[in-house]
């Protein structure tokens, strides 16, 4: 099977080409063509020796996952469903075995006047089972490979620049025109828990940051985590990008219910990990994401508990009104309860933003990404059995 070169960072590509007898500078040339020029055809890599181009055509590919469908929202948000192969579900079929399902992941591009943000997935489904998240209700199948993660960025840039723009891409590579990179920011906030797929995510992050590839600054790449404390410490050591923590509750009793990983890493441990991360972080604050669930975590007393919880953690809050999906069991909070909650935090000196809902008409808003998951964890069937009991 041909080697997908999207699986390699520069060191990996250098090592692979070295096995073919090529010198290190060849790896840098190929790497530039793949990630900076967005080129997938080796024959178009015109400054590379013809013999190497022929070898690459025989032994390698540059291939993102196939796109099953693409939707564009009325507000310009775009969502792609990538086909990431078949999976076997724990749900039995008529023969007693698992059902074979084509796995799908979703990627969202959010255009704004001063930036273009790509929301990238890291897993097929998610194992953490946060109760307000559509992805979490789909169960879990597997981690994504490096190629499947970075391929989302490669494909988005490729499409958004225009697939028929090959000449200008080649000119750009040669240094004749300014780089046109529609994706200026990446947030690892799509399907899955990024820190549960640590090595592949860190390798993909390295490619995003590499000046020979996408050249994004650490401030413009954000990893969102539900709070896997040991992995937060490892990320701080290996690749300290901006960090967003999915908080969603101000006390352990409530967070245990809606973010089950809290039972393993409770809030005191999580806050300590946030303080440690800030020593290495490119920003001097942690972003806390807080999905507002009507009547669950949106009361004034919850806001006052938050103030005490984060008193010694430099931070900003991103309040996210719940985005409904079928059978979620939750409701979006009213405008007045959201206003009061935000005001209490602001009066205490916290920086607070309210996330504008983008792409909800194509189910691309925060918490709505579901894709298609062959749930080998069996969680979907267990949930259905609980609800039927």
């Amino acid at each position: 099977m041909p080697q997908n070169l999207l699986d390699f960072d520069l060191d990996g590509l250098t090592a692979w080409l070295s096995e073919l007898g090529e010198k290190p500078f060849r790896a840098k040339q190929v790497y530039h063509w793949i990630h900076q020029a967005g080129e997938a055809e080796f024959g178009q890599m015109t400054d590379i020796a013809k013999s190497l181009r022929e070898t690459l055509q025989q032994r390698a590919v540059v291939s993102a996952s196939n796109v099953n469908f693409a939707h564009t929202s009325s507000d310009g948000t775009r969502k792609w469903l990538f086909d990431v192969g078949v999976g076997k579900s724990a749900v039995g079929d008529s023969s007693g075995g698992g059902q074979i399902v084509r796995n799908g992941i979703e990627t969202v591009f959010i255009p704004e006047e001063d930036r273009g943000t790509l929301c990238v997935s890291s897993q097929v489904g998610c194992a953490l089972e946060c109760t307000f998240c559509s992805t979490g209700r789909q169960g879990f199948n597997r981690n994504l490979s490096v190629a499947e993660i970075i391929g989302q960025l490669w494909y988005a840039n490729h499409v958004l620049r225009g697939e028929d723009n090959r000449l200008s891409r080649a000119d750009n590579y040669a240094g004749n025109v300014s780089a046109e990179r529609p994706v200026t920011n990446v947030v690892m906030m799509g399907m899955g828990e990024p820190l549960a797929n640590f090595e592949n995510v860190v390798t993909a992050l390295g490619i995003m940051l590499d000046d020979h590839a996408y050249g994004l600054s650490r401030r413009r790449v954000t990893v969102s985590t539900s709070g896997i404390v040991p992995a937060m410490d490892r990320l701080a050591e290996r690749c300290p990008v901006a960090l967003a923590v999915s908080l969603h509750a101000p006390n352990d009793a409530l967070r245990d219910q809606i973010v089950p990983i809290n039972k393993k890493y409770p809030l005191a441990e999580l806050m300590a990990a946030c303080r440690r991360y800030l020593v290495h972080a490119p920003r001097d604050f942690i972003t806390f994401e807080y999905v507002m669930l009507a009547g669950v975590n949106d009361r004034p007393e919850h806001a006052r508990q938050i103030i005490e919880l984060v008193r010694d953690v430099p931070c900003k809050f991103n309040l996210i009104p719940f985005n409904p999906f079928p059978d979620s069991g939750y409701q979006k909070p009213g405008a007045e309860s959201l206003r009061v909650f935000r005001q209490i935090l602001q009066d205490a000196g916290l920086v607070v933003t309210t996330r504008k809902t983008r792409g909800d008409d194509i189910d691309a808003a925060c918490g709505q990404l579901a894709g298609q998951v062959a749930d080998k964890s069996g969680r979907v069937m267990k949930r259905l059995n609980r609800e039927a009991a």
Side-chain angles (χ1 to χ4, degrees):
M1 179 178 295
Q3 172 65 53
N4 191 347
L5 300 189
L6 291 179
D7 258 323
F8 290 136
D9 61 9
L10 184 54
D11 287 342
L13 181 58
T14 301
W16 186 77
L17 285 174
S18 176
E19 293 177 359
L20 301 180
E22 298 291 339
K23 295 181 179 180
F25 80 93
R26 292 298 187 194
K28 192 173 293 185
Q29 287 180 309
V30 174
Y31 202 64
H32 284 184
W33 275 108
I34 293 170
H35 297 293
Q36 293 190 353
E39 187 56 71
E41 300 296 331
F42 299 117
Q44 298 294 326
M45 299 180 182
T46 52
D47 65 342
I48 294 175
K50 184 178 179 180
S51 59
L52 176 55
R53 280 181 274 161
E54 292 174 349
T55 298
L56 291 174
Q57 287 173 337
Q58 296 170 3
R59 305 189 59 165
V61 294
V62 177
S63 179
S65 302
N66 291 329
V67 173
N68 278 352
F69 67 74
H71 288 318
T72 302
S73 168
S74 58
D75 63 18
T77 299
R78 299 182 65 169
K79 181 174 78 169
W80 297 283
L81 177 71
F82 288 92
D83 183 338
V84 289
V86 296
K88 191 171 184 180
S89 172
V91 179
D93 58 21
S94 58
S95 66
Q99 295 177 341
I100 302 300
V101 177
R102 294 210 69 85
N103 284 320
I105 58 165
E106 295 182 342
T107 306
V108 175
F109 176 70
I110 306 167
E112 298 177 87
E113 286 187 7
D114 60 342
R115 72 185 66 186
T117 301
L118 191 71
C119 183
V120 171
S121 294
S122 57
Q123 296 180 308
V124 183
C126 184
L128 296 193
E129 207 170 1
C130 297
T131 59
F132 56 85
C133 179
S134 179
T135 302
R137 292 173 68 90
Q138 304 305 305
F140 173 77
N141 188 266
R142 65 175 177 86
N143 289 327
L144 295 180
S145 68
V146 175
E148 290 167 333
I149 297 170
I150 205 67
Q152 296 168 68
L153 175 57
W154 183 90
Y155 180 86
N157 270 326
H158 185 82
V159 168
L160 295 168
R161 281 189 295 207
E163 294 179 346
D164 61 348
N165 198 25
R166 195 165 282 165
L167 177 60
S168 66
R169 289 205 307 272
D171 287 342
N172 176 32
Y173 169 77
N176 297 328
V177 296
S178 298
E180 182 187 355
R181 297 183 182 176
V183 177
T184 64
N185 296 62
V186 172
V187 292
M188 298 294 301
M189 296 182 184
M191 295 175 64
E193 162 58 58
L195 297 188
N197 184 13
F198 188 86
E199 291 298 333
N200 289 347
V201 165
V202 166
T203 299
L205 292 175
I207 298 171
M208 295 175 196
L209 301 177
D210 193 330
D211 287 339
H212 297 296
Y214 300 95
L216 298 174
S217 76
R218 293 192 297 140
R219 296 173 63 89
R220 289 182 174 268
V221 178
T222 301
V223 168
S224 176
T225 179
S226 292
I228 302 179
V229 167
M232 291 170 62
D233 290 332
R234 291 172 65 202
L235 184 66
E237 295 173 358
R238 293 272 301 277
C239 191
V241 294
L243 186 69
V245 174
S246 297
L247 187 61
H248 311 311
N251 61 71
D252 284 322
L254 181 55
R255 197 166 190 266
D256 284 352
Q257 296 176 30
I258 61 179
V259 186
I261 193 68
N262 192 73
K263 297 174 184 176
K264 187 170 185 178
Y265 305 112
L267 285 170
E269 293 184 28
L270 179 58
M271 293 302 111
C274 289
R275 291 191 294 271
R276 291 194 297 271
Y277 195 89
L278 284 170
V279 175
H280 306 276
R283 293 177 173 171
D284 58 358
F285 61 87
I286 300 291
T287 298
F288 286 118
E289 299 167 305
Y290 196 95
V291 171
M292 302 283 288
L293 307 169
V296 177
N297 66 353
D298 64 341
R299 298 170 184 158
E301 58 264 33
H302 295 134
R304 288 188 283 270
Q305 290 173 22
I306 283 175
I307 295 167
E308 292 302 316
L309 177 68
V310 302
R311 189 170 293 280
D312 59 350
V313 180
C315 64
K316 63 177 284 188
F317 269 81
N318 191 1
L319 303 182
I320 309 167
F322 175 67
N323 295 303
F325 58 87
D327 302 319
S328 68
Y330 293 115
Q331 298 295 323
K332 188 175 184 176
E336 180 61 14
S337 63
L338 180 57
R339 185 196 67 78
V340 170
F341 194 96
R342 175 173 176 160
Q343 193 63 52
I344 292 172
L345 298 183
Q346 288 179 326
D347 288 346
L350 293 174
V351 176
V352 185
T353 59
T354 301
R355 181 175 296 176
K356 181 181 179 182
T357 298
R358 298 289 301 270
D360 57 335
D361 58 330
I362 57 171
D363 291 336
C366 182
Q368 289 183 324
L369 301 188
Q372 188 171 357
V373 180
D375 174 30
K376 70 179 183 182
S377 67
R379 181 187 309 138
V380 173
M381 182 59 69
K382 293 174 185 176
R383 175 172 57 80
L384 293 174
N385 288 338
R386 287 197 305 268
E387 292 174 355

